[in-house]
Amino acid sequence: MSKVKAFGAQSSDANLEELNIERREITAEDVKIEIDYCGVCHSDIHQVRNDWKNSKYPVVPGHEIIGRVTQVGKNVSNFKEGDLVGVGCMVDSCQECDSCKEDLEQFCENGATLTYNSKDKHLGGHTFGGYAEQIVVDKEFVLKIPENIDAKATAPLLCAGITTYSPLRHWNVKKGDKVGVIGLGGLGHMGVKFAHALGAHVVMITTSPSKSEDAKKLGADEVLISKNEEDMKKQAGSFDFLLNTVPVGHDMNPYIALLKRDATMVLVGAIEPLDPVHGGGLIGGRKRIAGSVIGGIKETQEMLDFCGEHNIVSDIEMIDMQNINEAFDRIVKSDVKYRFVIDMKSLKN
Ligand code: NAP
Ligand code: ZN
């Protein structure tokens, strides 16, 4: 085992602070990574603040990890020292159940091991994420990062990217579809970029009029302010697909009204109780509400390759590790353009 510097929270109301964690010695199947960058996902805040009531402390968050390989186990042939790699939300799964065999490890029937706050099969206790100097990960959960795009801006692809790419692909969003992306934060801004790249007519649905200009730069054809009831009415029944990234429980009825007959709204944001849905809104148009969580490893690699080919990266604000608590507060206030990425060099100071 080796001791590694990290940043974590000791309780749900504590700030994140520097601490030491253990990383395992590499096994024959493992890849050791020196972390250069780590994105800051709203899930990191939910976990630190115990919003989902399952946090284990200390929480060392971080599941948008980019770094260089420093060592590989003897059975690792697809990675070598110096490779630019990524690690997302999962670091292991059973590899045997139907979901794993179908490359859908995120639905592993025996429970995928999440990058942080999951049972650690090797060391006992729980896993620690990417707000750290290094990480050791099974080779099956390490991703290749295209070298032609800005490495620090690829970090958010590992969670925000795949979480929006996967449902757009699964629900077969295609050229000419009218797609609404609800919430312009880390996930939402990637949803806009991907929907645009797939040829959809993209409408950014936001509570923040001040983000309108940015939304258009990101690839939105239109902006719809969700608080404006008149404008919402004008677009009723017109959307082929909605991607809802709102991070908290909310009233979905106004969004359901936007869907066409037979169309689907996919929830990726609120992993908590939602306000009651009026059955009439669904029954009237044979509409659907569905959910989606990240994506499998194969699809994550496909998304990264797609980003390499289409030159897609995230819009980021770089921060030092020491400024993480302020960054959390700004994310909660919807004040981030559009993902914070931690420069992990700052942890070495
Ligand atoms: P984020 O950067 O905070 O963005 C969320 C955006 O939602 C905000 O910028 C804001 O955009 C909008 N919003 C916030 N509060 C709202 C409210 N009360 N009503 C309506 N809109 C509101 O968060 P994120 O990192 O994108 O993550 C979004 C959610 O997805 C989080 O809950 C996170 O835990 C979850 N998540 C899920 C998965 C998955 O696999 N399903 C993966 C990653 C994250 P506007 O200012 O434009 O309104
Ligand atoms: Zn995330």
Side-chain angles (χ1 to χ4, degrees), residues 40-44 46 52 63 89 159-160 163 182-188 204-208 211 226 245-250 255 267-271 292-294 331-332 334-336 338-339:
V40 181
C41 179
H42 203 123
S43 303
D44 299 350
H46 288 312
W52 299 332
H63 56 208
C89 301
C159 174
T163 301
I182 307 169
L184 183 43
L187 267 54
M204 182 69 238
I205 304 172
T206 176
T207 60
S208 309
K211 295 180 184 174
S226 52
T245 77
V246 177
V248 289
H250 60 281
Y255 301 122
L267 297 179
V268 290
I271 308 175
S292 184
V293 66
I294 49 174
I331 292 172
V332 171
S334 302
D335 174 25
V336 50
Y338 280 90
R339 196 60 138 187

Side-chain angles (χ1 to χ4, degrees), residues 91-302:
V91 288
D92 207 354
S93 73
C94 82
Q95 308 272 311
E96 283 168 4
C97 70
D98 288 348
S99 295
C100 284
K101 282 188 192 149
E102 287 177 47
D103 297 310
L104 296 168
E105 299 89 351
Q106 74 274 34
F107 303 118
C108 174
E109 285 141 46
N110 296 302
T113 304
L114 301 179
T115 306
Y116 63 89
N117 237 325
S118 253
K119 196 163 176 262
D120 188 328
K121 287 186 202 162
H122 295 264
L123 295 180
H126 60 276
T127 51
F128 297 121
Y131 294 8
E133 293 175 299
Q134 293 170 2
I135 192 165
V136 176
V137 180
D138 185 287
K139 65 182 190 309
E140 302 301 333
F141 289 80
V142 179
L143 295 138
K144 290 182 199 298
I145 303 299
E147 293 267 7
N148 63 313
I149 45 181
D150 181 13
K152 54 188 182 302
T154 60
L157 300 176
L158 275 314
C159 174
I162 185 60
T163 301
T164 50
Y165 179 86
S166 181
L168 289 167
R169 296 307 303 261
H170 183 77
W171 274 272
N172 193 27
V173 164
K174 56 189 183 311
K175 198 168 164 42
D177 284 353
K178 183 171 173 184
V179 170
V181 177
I182 307 169
L184 183 43
L187 267 54
H189 96 288
M190 290 313 304
V192 169
K193 289 188 186 211
F194 286 134
H196 175 76
L198 293 170
H201 177 88
V202 186
V203 182
M204 182 69 238
I205 304 172
T206 176
T207 60
S208 309
S210 61
K211 295 180 184 174
S212 300
E213 221 169 279
D214 282 355
K216 290 199 171 147
K217 280 189 209 140
L218 293 165
D221 298 283
E222 290 179 59
V223 176
L224 174 57
I225 308 300
S226 52
K227 290 175 186 158
N228 185 325
E229 280 180 35
E230 274 310 301
D231 287 352
M232 288 287 278
K233 266 193 204 137
K234 279 186 208 148
Q235 304 241 17
S238 69
F239 283 82
D240 296 290
F241 184 77
L242 289 174
L243 182 62
N244 182 332
T245 77
V246 177
V248 289
H250 60 281
D251 180 8
M252 295 189 295
N253 294 295
Y255 301 122
I256 293 167
L258 295 173
L259 293 168
K260 271 186 188 165
R261 169 175 53 77
D262 288 317
T264 301
M265 172 164 71
V266 175
L267 297 179
V268 290
I271 308 175
E272 57 183 54
L274 293 141
D275 295 359
V277 169
H278 195 297
L282 293 172
I283 292 169
R286 204 158 58 183
K287 299 176 185 179
R288 305 182 194 93
I289 301 172
S292 184
V293 66
I294 49 174
I297 295 298
K298 187 175 170 207
E299 193 176 40
T300 305
Q301 189 63 59
E302 177 192 306

Side-chain angles (χ1 to χ4, degrees), residues 65-76:
I65 299 168
I66 296 289
R68 295 270 171 192
V69 174
T70 54
Q71 205 184 342
V72 296
K74 71 173 177 359
N75 296 341
V76 179

